Amino acid sequence: MAVLFALVAFAVVGLLSGVHWYLWRRLVGDTTARGGLARRVGTVAAVVLPLISVGALVSGRAGAPFALQQALAWPGYLWLALVLYLMLALLVGEAVRPLLRRWLERRDAARLAQSAEPLAALPAERSPVAVRAGTEADTDTVTETVTEADTEIATVATPPPSRRLFVARTVAVGAATVAAGTVGYGTYSVLRGPRLKRVTVPLAKLPRQAHGFRIAVVSDIHLGPILGRAHTRRIVETINRTNPDMIAVVGDLVDGSVADLGPAAEPLRELRARHGSYFVTGNHEYFSGAAQWVDHVRELGLRPLENQRTELGGFDLAGVNDVAGEDEGEGPDFKAALGDRDPARACVLLAHQPVVIHDAVDHGVDLQLSGHTHGGQMWPGNYVAQLANPTAAGLERYGDTQLYVTRGAGAWGPPVRVGAPPDITVVELAATRA
């Protein structure tokens, strides 16, 4: 196991080193003069920024002081997002480079041809040969004419090194602008707070008296060194404005300990719903100390469902632990949560990861509410999320069971969302029986 971990770590370091060498080459080496200030500054940045990113990734797991985690998080995680979009933009730039060079060559050749036309049009008596028979004044005039034309030709015929520098700088500036703009918009998408979505889900077993029951579903809040108390407050205010019948917090609430993030989670105490608020663990709770967070959310007024079930008006509400809890002997237990229930009643299951949908189908669940995927968070991560999960976002049916996956209200790592805006979803249950 240790050997495998070492090999994976070596591969990751090698990949990061290769990526940053390429970025340095295209953004610094190809665009700046050797020994110049810009070259030195760019080289230092190419070394320091990835080190900060590594520090941001490992500081939490290493138990670093929370203040240090916060200091590393913003520059470290934003740099990771920039690296992604710089790489994508520069790879596109590789295709643009030859096209731009060819355009410059044609432009310079056209200018050169235009500059040569005046020499060809000189009358015979004004040609350099005829000047020898002319006056001294004529000689001076023609010499001046030829000299000006030669100077223009030399100027138009741009040396290849200058042309390469122009192309390199154009591609670098374009890539940096696109990447910075993308990351800036993605950061704004997270910091402005999640969007509110509404989805109606018909359930065949739902009685008429429960028709229209509204569940506010929120997942992946990811309180941590970047997203804190203000983030929680925005989420609470958004949920309370919907006046839901019930609130479901389906995992990945935090990235850190209660000692560090307890104040950030405090606004959850203000959640309001007629049938209460419920919580199930996500994989990040097990990275952060699941037991302490289960106890703490209970103090905040949420009811944890740890492989448990409760009866609400018209349907059963069940919750299972996240699969990450299996390493601690606290994984999902569908038999404990659903084994002895009345199958004639509708059942809604809270489970952080969509991958347990097949267990839900086997146990007769009517609707599973999940998160975890972030919808991919940053394009093209949506393709990875689709490969790794049965459903990456939205509502889908698996046999008699429906699965709804929210994109989540926060962000893990870079506080950036591109193509997968954060959301809180109000799921309205609809009875289909007369």
Side-chain angles (χ1 to χ4, degrees):
M1 190 67 180
V3 174
L4 178 61
F5 178 81
L7 289 174
V8 171
F10 181 78
V12 170
V13 171
L15 177 63
L16 287 176
S17 298
V19 165
H20 282 87
W21 177 86
Y22 173 75
L23 292 178
W24 178 89
R25 173 70 182 275
R26 288 309 192 199
L27 298 178
V28 180
D30 291 350
T31 62
T32 60
R34 184 171 306 198
L37 177 61
R39 173 74 64 91
R40 292 196 297 269
V41 171
T43 301
V44 170
V47 173
V48 172
L49 287 172
L51 291 177
I52 294 175
S53 296
V54 172
L57 288 168
V58 305
S59 59
R61 299 288 184 90
F66 191 62
L68 177 60
Q69 296 180 42
Q70 291 176 306
L72 294 172
W74 273 106
Y77 285 126
L78 284 179
W79 174 246
L80 288 177
L82 274 171
V83 165
L84 171 62
Y85 291 108
L86 281 171
M87 281 293 297
L88 293 174
L90 287 171
L91 290 175
V92 173
E94 296 296 343
V96 173
R97 281 174 191 277
L99 300 177
L100 185 55
R101 280 197 298 266
R102 192 173 301 120
W103 177 79
L104 289 172
E105 289 168 358
R106 291 178 178 176
R107 185 200 65 178
D108 293 347
R111 287 183 178 178
L112 182 60
Q114 291 175 359
S115 301
E117 287 177 0
L119 287 177
L122 284 175
E125 65 274 11
R126 302 306 294 171
S127 69
V129 176
V131 168
R132 296 173 185 170
T135 63
E136 183 178 352
D138 289 341
T139 302
D140 292 341
T141 303
V142 173
T143 302
E144 181 179 354
T145 302
V146 174
T147 302
E148 289 176 354
D150 288 342
T151 302
E152 185 174 357
I153 291 171
T155 301
V156 172
T158 307
S162 298
R163 188 180 295 137
R164 286 197 298 269
L165 182 62
F166 176 80
V167 171
R169 287 179 174 174
T170 299
V171 172
V173 170
T177 301
V178 170
T182 301
V183 172
Y185 176 79
T187 304
Y188 168 73
S189 179
V190 172
L191 297 184
R192 72 180 175 184
R195 299 177 180 180
L196 185 64
K197 297 179 62 177
R198 296 181 185 274
V199 175
T200 299
V201 180
L203 299 181
K205 299 177 184 177
L206 191 73
R208 291 296 301 173
Q209 62 266 29
H211 179 80
F213 191 98
R214 289 173 298 114
I215 305 173
V217 183
V218 60
S219 180
D220 301 280
I221 296 173
H222 283 292
L223 300 178
I226 291 180
L227 300 175
R229 189 185 184 97
H231 177 61
T232 312
R233 187 168 297 281
R234 282 192 296 268
I235 290 170
V236 169
E237 291 174 352
T238 300
I239 291 174
N240 285 346
R241 281 198 299 270
T242 70
N243 194 28
D245 296 300
M246 191 200 87
I247 299 168
V249 181
V250 286
D252 279 8
L253 171 64
V254 293
D255 287 300
S257 67
V258 172
D260 291 333
L261 297 175
E266 187 64 24
L268 294 175
R269 194 183 300 275
E270 300 171 16
L271 287 171
R272 297 289 180 267
R274 282 182 286 277
H275 294 272
S277 302
Y278 295 84
F279 170 81
V280 292
T281 55
N283 54 310
H284 283 250
E285 271 71 60
Y286 290 97
F287 303 153
S288 305
Q292 62 174 313
W293 276 109
V294 167
D295 291 339
H296 190 67
V297 298
R298 186 179 287 111
E299 294 174 4
L300 295 175
L302 284 75
R303 178 178 172 182
L305 291 176
E306 299 181 275
N307 297 323
Q308 295 172 317
R309 182 182 76 256
T310 186
E311 292 185 2
L312 298 180
F315 67 94
D316 293 338
L317 177 69
V320 292
N321 296 343
D322 186 70
V323 294
E326 292 175 349
D327 294 337
E328 302 178 17
E330 299 178 1
D333 188 338
F334 284 84
K335 184 176 181 180
L338 302 167
D340 59 347
R341 77 178 197 88
D342 180 1
R345 287 174 57 87
C347 179
V348 175
L349 173 70
L350 309 183
H352 177 63
Q353 297 196 40
V355 293
V356 301
I357 181 60
H358 303 296
D359 293 298
V361 172
D362 292 341
H363 286 82
V365 169
D366 297 281
L367 172 64
Q368 176 179 318
L369 301 175
S370 298
H372 181 66
T373 69
H374 297 206
Q377 185 164 323
M378 296 189 301
W379 184 92
N382 56 304
Y383 299 113
V384 178
Q386 289 168 9
L387 290 173
N389 297 275
T391 298
L395 181 67
E396 290 188 2
R397 177 178 288 275
Y398 295 83
D400 293 330
T401 303
Q402 296 182 79
L403 168 64
Y404 180 77
V405 181
T406 172
R407 291 188 176 92
W412 180 80
V416 178
R417 290 270 195 156
V418 178
D423 68 60
I424 293 169
T425 304
V426 175
V427 174
E428 183 171 333
L429 306 182
T432 60
R433 292 187 293 186

